[in-house]
């Protein structure tokens, strides 16, 4: 069983943060707080100028990080420093262009060297994933697939071929907080489970402890991004402890811990 799949031996809580917002030293402290307060897997965003899947909150976090001149190399160096201090698996969520411009093989070799064990590329369709997935696999990095309620017949193919965990997009559009998760997530989860034993987690729009608990009940875990990035935006360099408290409240809401 992979390190990522092991993170789902109980209902998983998966936070997302943008690296370099407000700075990389604070990012390191946030990662430590996330790990200490119940995160089972941590998604790290590499700053990118055109993050097409992101709503305004995470878009602004990318802009703040890029204004600090945070590069992909800087992110790798930060991960290399922090990964030995936490046992929680770390995965990147970024975009194809970030990996291309760095060099696909070089990127995944650095992932292996620095302790990154998975990658999520929301702009790479299932049909075009091979060049990334094959290179990732060579370096022991799992390519994490995404499915959406609109994936319909493709859900079977995507889930049957999945590694690590499956990221279920809860609603159409970009990331961001929503007052209600509208899609019929239960039906998507049931369809995924017919095709694979790989765990699945629900993301996009989960912002309250109640929503996180509800999604973790339906699936194997919940992913929370914008609501956490908002805390970072509000508290800046003082955000690590605030993020820790917020994540603890999310995890404590789970009906099955």
């Amino acid at each position: 069983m992979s390190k990522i799949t092991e993170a789902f031996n109980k209902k998983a809580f998966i936070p997302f943060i943008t690296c370099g917002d407000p700075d990389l030293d604070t990012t390191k402290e946030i990662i430590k707080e996330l790990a200490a307060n119940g995160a089972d897997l941590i998604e790290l965003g590499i700053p990118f100028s055109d993050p097409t899947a992101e709503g305004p909150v995470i878009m602004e976090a990318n802009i703040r990080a890029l204004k600090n001149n945070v590069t992909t190399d800087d992110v790798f160096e930060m991960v290399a420093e922090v990964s030995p201090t936490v046992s929680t698996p770390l995965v990147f969520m970024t975009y194809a262009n970030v990996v291309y411009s760095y060099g696909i093989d070089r990127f995944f070799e650095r992932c292996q060297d620095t302790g990154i064990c998975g990658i999520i590329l929301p702009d790479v369709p299932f049909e075009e994933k091979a060049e990334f997935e094959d290179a990732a696999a060579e370096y022991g990095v799992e390519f994490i697939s995404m499915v959406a309620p609109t994936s319909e017949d493709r859900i079977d193919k995507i889930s049957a071929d999945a590694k690590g965990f499956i990221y279920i997009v809860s609603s159409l559009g970009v990331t961001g907080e929503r007052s209600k998760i509208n899609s019929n997530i239960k039906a998507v989860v049931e369809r995924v489970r017919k095709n694979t034993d790989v765990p699945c987690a629900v993301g996009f729009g989960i912002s309250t402890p109640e929503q996180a608990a509800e999604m973790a009940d339906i699936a194997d875990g919940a992913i929370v991004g914008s609501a956490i990035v908002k805390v970072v935006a509000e508290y800046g360099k003082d955000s690590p402890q605030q993020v820790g408290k917020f994540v603890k409240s999310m995890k404590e809401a789970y009906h099955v811990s």
Side-chain angles (χ1 to χ4, degrees):
M1 190 184 287
S2 74
K3 200 175 176 186
I4 291 175
T5 307
E6 276 177 22
F8 290 85
N9 63 6
K10 55 186 185 303
K11 296 290 185 173
F13 180 79
I14 305 168
F16 166 92
I17 56 168
T18 300
C19 296
D21 176 35
D23 56 59
L24 285 167
D25 284 337
T26 307
T27 299
K28 272 194 283 191
E29 295 310 310
I30 292 171
I31 291 169
K32 290 174 190 174
E33 286 288 330
L34 292 170
N37 284 282
D40 299 291
L41 185 76
I42 299 171
E43 284 183 18
L44 301 174
I46 299 176
F48 182 49
S49 56
D50 187 25
T52 51
E54 312 302 355
V57 171
I58 296 175
M59 186 86 77
E60 284 158 19
N62 277 268
I63 291 165
R64 287 191 295 271
L66 290 169
K67 275 186 181 164
N68 292 338
N69 300 312
V70 172
T71 66
T72 303
D73 268 326
D74 294 334
V75 172
F76 275 123
E77 281 165 30
M78 181 275 296
V79 172
E81 287 170 25
V82 78
S83 65
T85 71
V86 296
S87 58
T88 309
L90 305 174
V91 304
F92 277 146
M93 183 166 182
T94 188
Y95 290 84
N97 200 42
V98 172
V99 182
Y100 262 133
S101 56
Y102 198 82
I104 295 176
D105 277 287
R106 180 173 165 239
F107 183 90
F108 289 116
E109 186 175 16
R110 292 284 323 258
C111 285
Q112 184 182 52
D113 292 344
T114 56
I116 292 288
C117 53
I119 182 96
I120 304 165
L121 297 174
D123 60 338
V124 175
F126 174 76
E127 293 76 11
E128 294 168 27
K129 69 174 182 159
E131 66 177 315
F132 295 100
E133 186 173 47
D134 293 350
E138 265 186 64
Y139 295 100
V141 178
E142 292 187 299
F143 187 97
I144 294 155
S145 297
M146 301 180 87
V147 300
T150 51
S151 300
E152 294 174 348
D153 294 342
R154 295 167 76 248
I155 293 175
D156 299 338
K157 273 195 298 187
I158 295 168
S159 51
D161 196 47
K163 311 281 188 304
F165 81 95
I166 296 167
Y167 190 131
I168 296 178
V169 177
S170 70
S171 45
L172 300 180
V174 295
T175 59
E177 299 171 278
R178 289 167 175 77
S179 57
K180 194 165 184 280
I181 309 292
N182 293 315
S183 302
N184 187 3
I185 294 302
K186 200 169 182 185
V188 178
V189 170
E190 284 168 1
R191 187 151 183 183
V192 164
R193 284 180 173 154
K194 279 180 186 169
N195 293 282
T196 185
D197 293 329
V198 170
C200 57
V202 181
F204 277 47
I206 298 168
S207 56
T208 68
E210 294 74 25
Q211 286 175 337
E214 183 191 350
M215 291 302 113
D217 272 358
I218 294 168
D220 301 302
I223 302 161
V224 178
S226 294
I228 292 169
V229 173
K230 220 172 170 178
V231 175
V232 177
E234 184 178 348
Y235 291 95
K237 289 177 192 287
D238 298 321
S239 63
Q241 283 187 311
Q242 299 297 328
V243 168
K245 278 186 211 166
F246 182 67
V247 167
K248 194 174 182 194
S249 73
M250 284 268 183
K251 190 67 193 281
E252 284 175 350
Y254 274 28
H255 305 136
V256 181
S257 62

